[in-house]
Amino acid sequence: MLTTLKTAYTDTRAGDLAWALGHEPLPALAALDLELAGARVQLRLLGASHQVLLDEEYGSCSETVACMPGSSTPLPLGVSKRFGEWEYEFAARVETLSGGSFAGRASELLALVSDHPNGLAGTFPGEPHAFTALLVQRHEGQVHWRTWHSYPQEGRLVATRTRVGVRALDPPERSSLSPAPSAVSGQRGRALA
């Protein structure tokens, strides 16, 4: 889904983005609610930033990447966290592109996301290459999303990738490698071949 955000593009920079996990829902300029095999996901555009809210049987998760005044957590290159039954992985990268390359990449990404049933993209009035876009999918029990934040005045594109899923349980620990004692004779039993 492609929408024009009802706000002016402010002169933000890629370096102003910060990351946060667990924020309450922030006021959104556009949102898309999805049901993905038991997981409820809300993609939220906050202007030149995003918020993803995930809720399923194992709990809920809120990821925010935004220009947050007073935030002490800049956009990290990578994060890996365990909370409750979940594993959370986040990665970000910043691409710097020339003017023509930037316009082509922006158009390509907007076409990809706006035509996808699980995608939400917002552009700004008068700034066709200034956008925020999100795309989510569920695969093998995990929820994955990608986001793109464009800064045409800098020629920069910030791309993020997130994966949230139930963490793999550790295999049961074995108390000993030797056979267990026989309950009848008190002697060690023989291992079966």
Side-chain angles (χ1 to χ4, degrees):
M1 180 173 91
L2 178 63
T3 186
T4 300
L5 301 173
K6 307 259 188 282
T7 187
Y9 182 70
T10 57
D11 192 22
T12 58
R13 300 177 315 114
D16 293 337
L17 284 177
W19 167 87
L21 196 58
H23 260 284
E24 292 295 318
L26 297 172
L29 298 172
L32 177 63
D33 292 305
L34 298 164
E35 180 80 27
L36 302 174
R40 290 176 306 284
V41 180
Q42 185 178 68
L43 305 177
R44 301 167 61 81
L45 296 177
L46 311 176
S49 50
H50 81 262
Q51 188 171 52
V52 177
L53 307 177
L54 170 64
D55 187 29
E56 66 173 353
E57 68 176 298
Y58 296 103
S60 59
C61 173
S62 166
E63 173 190 280
T64 307
V65 171
C67 301
M68 295 179 275
S71 175
S72 60
T73 308
L75 190 64
L77 293 178
V79 174
S80 182
K81 286 184 168 281
R82 285 185 170 185
F83 56 95
E85 298 291 319
W86 285 2
E87 287 183 343
Y88 170 91
E89 290 181 3
F90 172 87
R93 75 175 194 283
V94 179
E95 296 177 57
T96 303
L97 303 165
S98 67
S101 296
F102 187 90
R105 182 80 170 127
S107 297
E108 175 185 273
L109 287 170
L110 284 171
L112 169 76
V113 175
S114 62
D115 291 341
H116 198 286
N118 297 342
L120 175 64
T123 59
F124 294 86
E127 295 284 345
H129 299 126
F131 69 92
T132 303
L134 300 93
L135 184 62
V136 65
Q137 65 180 359
R138 186 172 180 107
H139 180 67
E140 296 181 355
Q142 299 178 336
V143 179
H144 302 255
W145 59 87
R146 297 190 64 188
T147 74
W148 298 271
H149 305 251
S150 76
Y151 298 90
Q153 77 281 11
E154 295 181 317
R156 288 187 161 186
L157 184 68
V158 178
T160 73
R161 180 185 303 257
T162 302
R163 180 190 65 82
V164 179
V166 176
R167 67 184 174 103
L169 299 176
D170 296 328
E173 293 181 344
R174 295 186 177 186
S175 58
S176 172
L177 294 178
S178 61
S182 168
V184 176
S185 66
Q187 300 175 358
R188 295 201 177 269
R190 289 183 293 163
L192 299 175

